[in-house]
Amino acid sequence: AQKITQTQPGMFVQEKEAVTLDCTYDTSDQSYGLFWYKQPSSGEMIFLIYQGSYDEQNATEGRYSLNFQKARKSANLVISASQLGDSAMYFCAMREVVTGGGNKLTFGTGTQLKVEL
Amino acid sequence: DTGVSQNPRHKITKRGQNVTFRCDPISEHNRLYWYRQTLGQGPEFLTYFQNEAQLEKSRLLSDRFSAERPKGSFSTLEIQRTEQGDSAMYLCASSLGSSTGELFFGEGSRLTVL
């Protein structure tokens, strides 16, 4: 069974600073994928970044980067130059490919990020 | 707006009543998913469709829950004889068969069972 652990219930960061949100995972699969999603108060889950287990480079998407350490089974999200609009809940998720090629995601419990002036 | 659309956004019902939620996925997406999210938790997988075929169901989906996707377009999630424990946000997502296959979520339907 897959498991995602996010140990930081809440984080504070000052505007324009960088912040790291932690995520560790457990799986017996050799091939897997890791996602980060942002959930603002409106409720919609917004896809941020993806890392495949065989990807040699750490994923980056604009101000988001994923610090992937396979041996340690960690996939931490780094947000650079934080903005007030980054205040939201952040979820780490792992995919299991199911029948027909669909992605069944297992989510962590999330980290509530608050960006302060 | 061409994102995933869900309605109603909020539903308050009395215990024992039936409720139905609708999801309209992004038009070219052939895969559709339902998740449930309770307060303070991440979303939990409920079920998955590829086109009109329901290919995966979680054991969380009791026999009071039924989901359909007729014609492979919109989907409905019905909960019969609601219980207070069904109170949650029900999220719908859709995806293409891309290499990453990221899911695009709607804003959810919040159910409150009194």
Side-chain angles (χ1 to χ4, degrees):
Chain A
Q2 300 185 332
K3 185 174 181 179
I4 294 286
T5 301
Q6 294 181 256
T7 58
Q8 305 156 314
M11 289 282 286
F12 290 89
V13 64
Q14 287 204 313
E15 196 180 21
K16 300 178 186 177
E17 297 292 311
V19 63
T20 298
L21 307 183
D22 294 342
C23 172
T24 58
Y25 60 90
D26 190 22
T27 181
S28 56
D29 295 338
Q30 295 301 309
S31 176
Y32 51 89
L34 295 153
F35 295 83
W36 277 91
Y37 279 84
K38 171 184 178 182
Q39 188 177 41
S41 56
S42 61
E44 182 180 359
M45 300 282 285
I46 301 167
F47 166 72
L48 296 178
I49 197 166
Y50 169 81
Q51 179 83 43
S53 59
Y54 292 119
D55 293 341
E56 294 184 353
Q57 303 281 343
N58 284 347
T60 61
E61 289 287 347
R63 295 186 299 111
Y64 304 108
S65 60
L66 203 151
N67 184 2
F68 181 49
Q69 298 188 42
K70 198 169 180 177
R72 300 180 64 179
K73 293 190 173 181
S74 74
N76 298 339
L77 177 71
V78 180
I79 305 174
S80 62
S82 296
Q83 302 172 355
L84 294 177
D86 294 334
S87 294
M89 194 72 155
Y90 288 80
F91 290 98
C92 181
M94 172 178 284
R95 78 165 177 192
E96 173 189 349
V97 179
V98 293
T99 308
N103 281 338
K104 176 180 172 181
L105 298 184
T106 299
F107 287 85
T109 52
T111 296
Q112 182 72 49
L113 177 66
K114 173 77 172 172
V115 180
E116 300 174 316
L117 290 170
Chain B
D1 185 90
T2 56
V4 177
S5 176
Q6 292 187 246
N7 65 79
R9 293 291 313 281
H10 303 275
K11 179 73 176 177
I12 300 173
T13 191
K14 292 182 179 179
R15 189 175 53 189
Q17 298 294 304
N18 299 344
V19 296
T20 299
F21 300 112
R22 176 179 169 125
C23 172
D24 288 273
I26 294 171
S27 58
E28 62 268 30
H29 287 185
N30 61 340
R31 293 172 178 154
L32 186 147
Y33 308 79
W34 285 98
Y35 283 77
R36 181 172 68 187
Q37 185 177 22
T38 54
L39 204 60
Q41 300 296 316
E44 295 174 296
F45 172 81
L46 291 179
T47 190
Y48 149 66
F49 291 84
Q50 180 164 284
N51 299 313
E52 67 276 7
Q54 188 174 20
L55 297 183
E56 189 88 7
K57 287 170 64 173
S58 166
R59 62 180 180 274
L60 293 174
L61 213 65
S62 76
D63 56 5
R64 296 185 298 106
F65 287 70
S66 62
E68 294 183 339
R69 193 184 182 196
K71 302 179 183 177
S73 55
F74 71 92
S75 176
T76 57
L77 176 68
E78 181 183 17
I79 309 173
Q80 296 182 325
R81 305 182 304 281
T82 52
E83 302 172 355
Q84 288 184 325
D86 297 332
S87 295
M89 176 79 88
Y90 291 86
L91 293 164
C92 177
S94 66
S95 75
L96 281 170
S98 68
S99 59
T100 58
E102 65 265 28
L103 274 59
F104 295 83
F105 283 83
E107 292 185 314
S109 293
R110 182 170 295 284
L111 174 65
T112 301
V113 182
L114 302 175

